[in-house]
Amino acid sequence: MRLLEGSTGLVVGVANHRSLAWHIASACAAAGARLVLSYQNERLGENVLRLAADLPDTLTCRCDVSSDADLSELGSFLERQVGGIDFLVHSVAWARREELQGEFLATSREGFREAHDISVYSLVALARMARPLMQARRGGSILTLSFLGSRRVFPGYNVMGAAKASLEASVRYLASDLGPDNIRVNALSAGPLRTLAASGIRGLVRMLELYRERAPLGRSPDPSEVADAALFLLSPLSRGITGEVLHVDGGYHLTGV
Ligand code: NAD
C-alpha cells in the first residue's frame, strides 16, 4: 500500500540499522514517502549516509537537538531543499548512563535537566520548527516514541520514566496548539526492543522476559510492528486521531500481575 505517496517527511533519530527511526523510515519510504533523515553527529552520520543510500531520493542533515543553532539550520535546510513537510518522526531519547541504575531518588539535577532537554524539549522545538513547513502543506502528522515507564515503575528506567511522562503530556499540549493548523501529534508506546538506546537500560533482558511471560501476545513487538503502527499514525488513515498514545507492546500495558 502506497499510503504516503507524494508526501515528504523528516525522521529524527536514526543511529544505526536497529534504530526504531530506521525501521519507521524504511516503512515510510516503501509507502512512497520522500525522506530527510537527520543524525546527531558526524560519527553516527557515517551509518546514516550508508543506510540512506538504500532509500530512493533521501536527503540527510546533521542536527544535535540540544542545539538551537542546529535546529534552526535544519529548518532552513528543509525550507531550501523540500519547501514543506507532511510528517515528522521524533525518535530521540538520551540520559546519562549513571542515571539509569540504582534509585531514582539519586537523580542529579543536571542528569534530570539533560534527559528532559534532549528527550522531551526537542519534540517541542522540532514541532515549532515544523509548523510553518506543515502549514505550507495544509497540515501534517507528528509522531514521537514513548514507553510504559511513563506510567509504571520499571527499575532502572528512572529519569527516563519521568521524561516519557513529560513527553506524553507534551504530545497532548502540542496536539491542542497545532490542531487548528490540521497538524496531528501522537505517540507510540513501544514494548522493549534491543537498540542502542535500550542497551543503556539495566534490566532490559528481564523486561524482555517479562513481556514474553505476561503480554497477551506473548512477546514484546517486532520492530516492523512498531513501524507499521507508525505508518498508520503518519498516514491519512489516522486523520481523525490526535493527542493519542498508542501502545504497540503485545498488550503488556493492560496486565495487572
Ligand atoms: P536508538 O539509540 O537507535 O535511537 C535514539 C536516537 O536518539 C539515536 O539516533 C541518537 O542519535 C538520538 N539522539 C540522542 N541524543 C541526541 C541529540 N542530542 N541530538 C540528536 N539526536 C540525539 O534507540 P531507539 O530504541 O530506536 O530509540 C528511539 C526512541 O524509541 C527513543 O525515544 C526511545 O526512548 C524510544 N523507545 C525505545 C524502546 C526500546 O526498547 N528500544 C521502547 C520504547 C520506546
Side-chain angles (χ1 to χ4, degrees), residues 151-165:
R151 294 196 285 126
R152 305 232 192 124
V153 173
F154 288 77
Y157 201 63
N158 293 0
V159 71
M160 198 47 75
K164 291 302 191 194

Side-chain angles (χ1 to χ4, degrees), residues 11 20 106 111 161 171-172 202 224 236 254:
V11 179
L20 288 176
V171 163
R172 292 184 281 273
R202 281 207 169 180
S224 72
L254 60 79

Side-chain angles (χ1 to χ4, degrees), residues 16-255:
N16 57 36
H17 70 285
R18 287 182 188 272
S19 296
L20 288 176
W22 173 245
H23 291 280
I24 294 170
S26 304
C28 290
R34 180 189 187 201
L35 297 176
V36 178
L37 305 182
S38 83
Y39 52 87
Q40 180 184 355
N41 54 39
E42 297 306 337
R43 184 176 56 82
L44 295 175
E46 286 179 24
N47 291 338
V48 176
L49 263 92
R50 215 175 310 117
L51 289 167
D54 287 342
L55 305 181
D57 206 14
T58 297
L59 301 171
T60 58
C61 180
R62 193 190 64 78
C63 176
D64 183 324
V65 297
S66 64
S67 157
D68 286 334
D70 279 17
L71 285 163
S72 157
E73 183 49 43
L74 176 62
S76 308
F77 176 86
L78 291 166
E79 210 180 322
R80 255 190 341 265
Q81 300 288 335
V82 295
I85 57 172
D86 303 281
F87 63 90
L88 159 66
V89 177
H90 171 272
S91 187
V92 173
W94 187 82
R96 292 180 186 192
R97 200 165 268 263
E98 63 266 29
E99 305 290 3
L100 300 175
Q101 51 191 297
E103 291 186 318
F104 173 64
L105 197 64
T107 306
S108 69
R109 186 185 295 275
E110 194 51 16
F112 189 93
R113 191 196 63 72
E114 283 173 335
H116 284 72
D117 181 21
I118 293 171
S119 315
V120 188
Y121 184 72
S122 59
L123 174 68
V124 181
L126 281 164
R128 193 165 53 236
M129 181 211 75
R131 183 190 222 168
L133 295 163
M134 290 183 169
Q135 282 170 330
R137 302 294 180 105
R138 298 176 196 276
S141 176
I142 298 176
L143 177 68
T144 187
L145 275 297
S146 192
F147 177 61
L148 189 59
S150 61
R151 294 196 285 126
R152 305 232 192 124
V153 173
F154 288 77
Y157 201 63
N158 293 0
V159 71
M160 198 47 75
K164 291 302 191 194
S166 171
L167 183 73
E168 291 176 14
S170 301
V171 163
R172 292 184 281 273
Y173 278 90
L174 290 170
S176 173
D177 282 352
L178 295 172
D181 292 315
N182 194 32
I183 299 171
R184 302 181 293 109
V185 188
N186 293 291
L188 281 182
S189 181
L193 289 140
R194 290 180 192 278
T195 62
L196 190 62
S199 69
I201 300 160
R202 281 207 169 180
L204 177 71
V205 172
R206 179 64 191 130
M207 271 192 218
L208 289 165
E209 270 172 23
L210 275 174
Y211 275 67
R212 273 196 297 275
E213 284 167 22
R214 297 189 189 167
L217 294 182
R219 58 190 164 80
S220 195
D222 181 85
S224 72
E225 293 169 328
V226 178
D228 283 351
L231 204 53
F232 165 67
L233 287 175
L234 296 172
S235 80
L237 287 183
S238 60
R239 61 195 175 279
I241 300 174
T242 193
E244 193 63 77
V245 179
L246 178 65
H247 291 86
V248 187
D249 66 350
Y252 185 88
H253 67 284
L254 60 79
T255 58

